[in-house]
């Protein structure tokens, strides 16, 4: 499908054919993830299993992290060096040891809140034919920003049509 601008010129971008699905179901579950300190834990397979268990076909998977010192990201899942470099980058942006007003939970607490603010606590992933429409090298990760082990909860919700 080519889209025309008001002046009649064709856009250099191409939009695929449109598909539609009715929201027949809204299914929700909570995924508990136990982390072992700062770093990235991939939850892509957990998310895909949830969509399958929900009987989802076409729609959207929403992910929401119920915490303020960790985050959710979509990143490359082919090379583990990417996650190591991302953790290093976040540490360089918001190093532990800075002076903060909020320090009652330890020196890593406020830097963890800032990292979560920068990276976000919610995602949405399109679903078609029961499959997550992630790119070839994309994975869904819980990014832990606190030093001690944590128990994190990710709310998963599928909205869409059923298989």
């Amino acid at each position: 499908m080519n889209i025309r601008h008001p002046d009649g010129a064709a856009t250099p971008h191409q939009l695929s054919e449109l598909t539609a699905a009715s929201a027949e179901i809204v299914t929700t579950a909570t995924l508990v993830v136990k982390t072992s300190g700062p770093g990235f834990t991939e939850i892509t397979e957990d998310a895909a299993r949830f969509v399958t268990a929900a009987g989802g076909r076409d729609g959207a998977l929403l992910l929401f992290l119920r915490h303020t010192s960790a985050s959710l990201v979509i990143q490359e899942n082919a090379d583990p060096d990417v996650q190591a470099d991302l953790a290093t980058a976040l540490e360089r942006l918001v190093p532990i040891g800075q002076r903060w007003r909020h320090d009652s939970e330890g020196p890593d607490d406020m830097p963890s809140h800032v990292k979560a603010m920068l990276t976000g606590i919610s995602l949405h992933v399109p679903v078609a034919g029961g499959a997550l429409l992630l790119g070839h090298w994309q994975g869904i990760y819980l990014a832990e920003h606190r030093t001690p082990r944590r128990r994190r909860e990710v709310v998963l919700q599928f909205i869409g049509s059923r298989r």
Side-chain angles (χ1 to χ4, degrees):
M1 165 188 290
N2 283 324
I3 299 174
R4 296 243 171 234
H5 288 280
D7 66 4
T11 180
H13 305 115
Q14 188 169 358
L15 183 66
S16 72
E17 292 300 318
L18 301 178
T19 61
S22 297
E24 299 172 307
I25 58 172
V26 177
T27 305
T28 307
T30 300
L31 173 66
V32 174
V33 179
K34 294 180 181 175
T35 68
S36 57
F40 294 81
T41 302
E42 188 168 6
I43 61 170
T44 310
E45 290 302 317
D46 299 298
R49 276 194 298 276
F50 165 73
V51 170
T52 298
R57 183 178 66 210
D58 299 315
L61 170 64
L62 310 175
L63 300 96
F64 177 78
L65 183 63
R66 299 182 67 201
H67 304 278
T68 61
S69 58
S71 54
L72 294 172
V73 297
I74 294 177
Q75 268 302 328
E76 179 180 324
N77 65 357
D79 183 353
D81 286 344
V82 171
Q83 288 83 46
D85 286 343
L86 289 170
T88 298
L90 286 171
E91 184 56 33
R92 288 177 183 164
L93 287 171
V94 192
I96 293 176
Q98 301 296 311
R99 193 169 157 95
W100 302 100
R101 290 182 184 180
H102 175 73
D103 63 1
S104 59
E105 295 180 48
D108 70 332
D109 187 34
M110 193 60 213
S112 297
H113 291 301
V114 174
K115 292 171 187 175
M117 180 182 71
L118 292 173
T119 51
I121 60 164
S122 65
L123 299 170
H124 66 274
V125 178
V127 176
L132 303 177
L133 292 184
L134 292 168
H136 185 68
W137 301 112
Q138 289 182 321
I140 303 168
Y141 291 88
L142 187 150
E144 179 60 72
H145 305 304
R146 296 296 308 270
T147 300
R149 295 174 180 238
R150 298 285 171 170
R151 179 186 179 277
R152 301 298 193 174
E153 294 181 359
V154 181
V155 177
L156 304 171
Q157 188 170 66
F158 175 78
I159 301 171
S161 64
R162 23 176 125 245
R163 283 184 276 140

